[in-house]
Amino acid sequence: MERRLVILRRWLLLAAGLIFESFGIVLSIRADLGVTPISSIPYIFSLKFSKVTIGGWTLVISAVFLAIQLILLNKRFQRKYWLQIPILVLFCIFLDSLNYLMRGVVMHNYWESILFVLAGTVFLAWGITLCYTADICMNTGEAIVGAITTVTKKEFGKVKIAFDATLVVCTIIISLCFFNTLRAVREGTVVMALFTGFFVHLFSKFLNRKTADAAQNK
């Protein structure tokens, strides 16, 4: 019984993390100064082919990432990695729901947009921290980086930077092909790419300290 409660708490923590992550991305969408690298390709496709939502395109692109993991890892693809699917579905539902609820939010000046990007960065980082704390399974965007790291035996952080940079370059090329101008990637993308990790580090230290204090008080 106790084990089931622990598992339930972990999934609830994961769900909360996914909501915060989704909210952070939606804030960046409303700011219209560029989105986080991992969401840039789904977002640019949702702008061109608007009959499919950003959540729908996220599902499609993430399915491609999952297929790449299967190819790269082959027999090293563990059963628990299939948990990426329900996590992904939850994330896409939260993303589309929050984006719909905030569809009427419009920025009136550049500084409002900047504030939304900064707030989006904080919410995204907090969501990522909660998902890591839940420790159930990596999301698809992180899992593909892990798969590449396993195969190439390179450092995870360096692979992550290279992967994000590749996504941004691909988004720029797609944007120029679709719209003859740059969309989905702007200064907000740079802010989120640079500072999300910083806030994740701060939040992780905060949660670790709280956990240690709780353990001492028992």
Side-chain angles (χ1 to χ4, degrees):
M1 183 65 180
E2 185 177 347
R3 183 172 178 273
R4 290 179 180 178
L5 285 174
V6 171
I7 293 173
L8 177 61
R9 287 170 186 163
R10 288 171 63 188
W11 274 98
L12 290 174
L13 187 62
L14 175 70
L18 294 175
I19 291 172
F20 279 109
E21 281 190 48
S22 302
F23 189 54
I25 293 170
V26 170
L27 287 177
S28 70
I29 291 173
R30 296 299 120 198
D32 197 27
L33 292 179
V35 296
T36 184
I38 196 66
S39 297
S40 59
I41 292 181
Y43 182 54
I44 198 68
F45 274 103
S46 73
L47 292 177
K48 178 64 175 178
F49 307 104
S50 57
K51 288 185 178 181
V52 180
T53 63
I54 183 173
W57 281 114
T58 299
L59 196 63
V60 171
I61 301 301
S62 296
V64 174
F65 290 165
L66 184 59
I68 293 172
Q69 290 177 58
L70 284 165
I71 294 170
L72 290 177
L73 295 178
N74 199 359
K75 293 181 180 179
R76 286 178 289 182
F77 189 91
Q78 300 178 31
R79 282 189 298 176
K80 69 176 183 178
Y81 294 165
W82 290 111
L83 288 173
Q84 292 176 66
I85 295 175
I87 292 172
L88 174 61
V89 171
L90 273 178
F91 176 72
C92 292
I93 290 172
F94 293 146
L95 183 59
D96 277 345
S97 299
L98 289 169
N99 196 37
Y100 177 78
L101 290 173
M102 295 190 67
R103 66 193 183 282
V105 177
V106 179
M107 300 296 99
H108 297 97
N109 58 63
Y110 182 76
W111 293 110
E112 282 188 7
S113 296
I114 288 293
L115 286 174
F116 261 57
V117 168
L118 293 175
T121 304
V122 172
F123 277 107
L124 178 64
W126 179 240
I128 291 171
T129 305
L130 293 180
C131 288
Y132 277 134
T133 304
D135 193 26
I136 292 176
C137 181
M138 287 191 292
N139 62 44
T140 311
E142 300 292 333
I144 188 173
V145 174
I148 296 170
T149 300
T150 299
V151 172
T152 62
K153 302 191 184 305
K154 301 290 184 181
E155 185 181 334
F156 183 92
K158 292 180 180 178
V159 175
K160 173 65 174 171
I161 292 171
F163 181 73
D164 285 350
T166 301
L167 294 179
V168 169
V169 170
C170 289
T171 303
I172 290 172
I173 294 171
I174 295 169
S175 179
L176 293 175
C177 291
F178 283 168
F179 304 106
N180 292 319
T181 188
L182 192 59
R183 301 184 68 177
V185 175
R186 284 184 58 184
E187 57 269 38
T189 305
V190 177
V191 169
M192 299 190 85
L194 290 177
F195 290 100
T196 298
F198 170 76
F199 283 114
V200 168
H201 177 69
L202 286 182
F203 292 147
S204 296
K205 287 180 65 177
F206 170 76
L207 286 181
N208 289 336
R209 192 181 305 120
K210 285 291 184 182
T211 302
D213 290 343
Q216 287 179 356
N217 293 329
K218 283 185 177 180

